[in-house]
Amino acid sequence: MRNRLQPYAILAAALLCFSGVASATTTVVITSPAANLTTPNDLGVVAYTYGPESVRVLQIYLDGVKKTESVWPVRNRINALVSTTAGSHQLTVQALDPNSAVVGKTTITFSTTASPLSFPDLDQASWNPCDPAHGCNSGGNQAPTPAAIPWTQAPNEDGHSIEFPTQNPAAAYNTGYWWVTHTATSAVSHYFKYEFDLWMPAGLGNAPQGIEWECQQTVNGYVYNFGWQAQYVRSSSGGQDNVYKVYRYPPSGGAGGWEEVNLPLTRFPEGEWTHIVAEYHVDQSGTVWHDALTVTNSLGSNRLDPYWFDSATGAYKSISHVPPLYSGRGNQFSNAFQLDVNGSGTAYHVFVDKMKLTYVP
């Protein structure tokens, strides 16, 4: 007698695999979200593949439902926003070859929350200016950073913005650095999103050497730094013009600094708001990951995918740093903003509004 359940068993197996299966020798690596940790309901998925097969499609499945895909993915990477509801989830990223056979697949479990913690309206917070007299490096001729100026005139979006001015007159490669201190925590947070709107005044669109933003936690002596720079002009130490960089916090007594992440910079337009969103996370091993940078203005909205090329594997890998240990340093939590003066000593200022830091412990 014919087994009437057999067609259903075959169908279930096909759905589980999503498509035909080849010998899976391509490696799929999911770098965001981190396995077994928690993100907000709106999250970024970042993954890459490497191996001998040609990858025609990279697909993202959440709880068995395809959320998005990339056809002929650039550098065999995918970096996309997806949304879900609060709870525990299963995430699969799989690679298909030109015949639509699965040649690589990785699955992780993680959780999401509808209630991440946040510091809204940071542009209205109390900002500390850098003063070299108190041990803060202000670059150039080490002139103190001017105070940030609360702003209620135009430009603003919600009645309040803040003006960040460089020294004026400024010396070559001066820096203006401001930070906000938050209550320190005893455990590192595992998800961060730092966002704000930036206004570049008319006539100043080419004035900066660079514009920087960061958030930072120090927990049990380990420094978790999440810093970005929009580098308009190469610094005195060299590099390229018009690139984005991330910061590698130096180990105690060692070397660190800004690293290029293969992302070209389109300078922020004058006389309008540019919305900037930086996403980061810390995995269970304590490694810091720079997940994505999204820039939106009249030129468009672009989700930028930082990466580096590993010649040993042929993989275009995600950007990660191991937090350095500073023994004896107390727990800290802060966000910051910085303006870098160019080699000609050109003074300038910008306005910032709707600044917000979102995080999940």
Side-chain angles (χ1 to χ4, degrees), residues 2-358:
R2 185 170 177 263
N3 184 352
R4 299 181 62 184
L5 296 179
Q6 186 178 27
Y8 299 100
I10 294 173
L11 176 61
L15 290 174
L16 180 62
C17 295
F18 306 124
S19 62
V21 178
S23 176
T25 57
T26 289
T27 300
V28 177
V29 179
I30 299 173
T31 59
S32 178
N36 303 315
L37 296 178
T38 302
T39 76
N41 286 344
D42 297 323
L43 65 136
V45 175
V46 183
Y48 64 89
T49 74
Y50 62 96
E53 291 89 5
S54 176
V55 174
R56 185 181 67 86
V57 184
L58 271 176
Q59 299 177 322
I60 297 173
Y61 282 81
L62 189 62
D63 300 325
V65 177
K66 188 169 75 172
K67 302 294 285 189
T68 189
E69 66 180 22
S70 177
V71 179
W72 295 116
V74 178
R75 292 176 289 273
N76 284 348
R77 292 181 56 84
I78 190 166
N79 192 323
L81 285 172
V82 299
S83 297
T84 186
T85 55
S88 179
H89 301 282
Q90 186 175 78
L91 173 71
T92 296
V93 177
Q94 65 179 15
L96 309 184
D97 70 8
N99 297 316
S100 296
V102 177
V103 292
K105 180 168 63 175
T106 294
T107 298
I108 66 167
T109 57
F110 72 103
S111 298
T112 62
T113 175
S115 305
L117 303 178
S118 68
F119 297 113
D121 297 320
L122 285 169
D123 48 285
Q124 300 173 39
S126 177
W127 288 80
N128 302 287
C130 172
D131 186 348
H134 298 148
C136 180
N137 181 12
S138 202
N141 64 358
Q142 292 295 316
T145 294
I149 303 170
W151 201 257
T152 56
Q153 307 169 55
N156 73 75
E157 299 175 277
D158 54 10
H160 298 271
S161 62
I162 193 165
E163 180 187 11
F164 292 109
T166 65
Q167 297 86 347
N168 191 7
Y173 302 116
N174 271 159
T175 59
Y177 179 80
W178 302 263
W179 76 94
V180 177
T181 301
H182 307 289
T183 301
T185 61
S186 59
V188 66
S189 299
H190 287 280
Y191 169 90
F192 294 90
K193 181 171 70 173
Y194 191 23
E195 58 187 311
F196 56 92
D197 291 349
L198 181 141
W199 180 282
M200 180 64 69
L204 298 178
N206 295 314
Q209 186 271 323
I211 299 174
E212 305 175 18
W213 53 95
E214 70 172 11
C215 54
Q216 180 172 295
Q217 272 194 311
T218 302
V219 178
N220 298 326
Y222 287 95
V223 179
Y224 302 86
N225 181 273
F226 313 93
W228 277 94
Q229 180 190 74
Q231 180 171 284
Y232 281 52
V233 181
R234 71 194 71 185
S235 68
S236 57
S237 60
Q240 299 185 58
D241 296 344
N242 300 309
V243 293
Y244 286 104
K245 293 182 173 182
V246 299
Y247 192 66
R248 181 186 292 274
Y249 203 90
S252 180
W258 290 104
E259 298 180 345
E260 294 189 18
V261 290
N262 298 292
L263 296 181
L265 163 70
T266 300
R267 297 185 178 187
F268 307 135
E270 299 177 5
E272 65 175 81
W273 293 106
T274 292
H275 186 56
I276 298 170
V277 182
E279 299 167 53
Y280 326 86
H281 78 274
V282 178
D283 65 20
Q284 283 189 305
S285 72
T287 300
V288 170
W289 295 87
H290 296 266
D291 297 324
L293 182 70
T294 303
V295 180
T296 304
N297 51 38
S298 62
L299 302 178
S301 182
N302 295 290
R303 183 174 175 85
L304 305 176
D305 180 32
Y307 68 91
W308 67 282
F309 178 66
D310 179 12
S311 59
T313 61
Y316 293 87
K317 295 185 174 182
S318 301
I319 302 296
S320 64
H321 295 151
V322 176
L325 174 63
Y326 282 73
S327 298
R329 181 174 292 190
N331 292 352
Q332 299 172 338
F333 190 11
S334 64
N335 67 280
F337 189 81
Q338 178 168 316
L339 298 179
D340 301 328
V341 174
N342 63 27
S344 299
T346 304
Y348 67 100
H349 62 281
V350 301
F351 297 91
V352 168
D353 205 347
K354 294 186 176 180
M355 180 176 275
K356 182 180 181 180
L357 175 59
T358 303

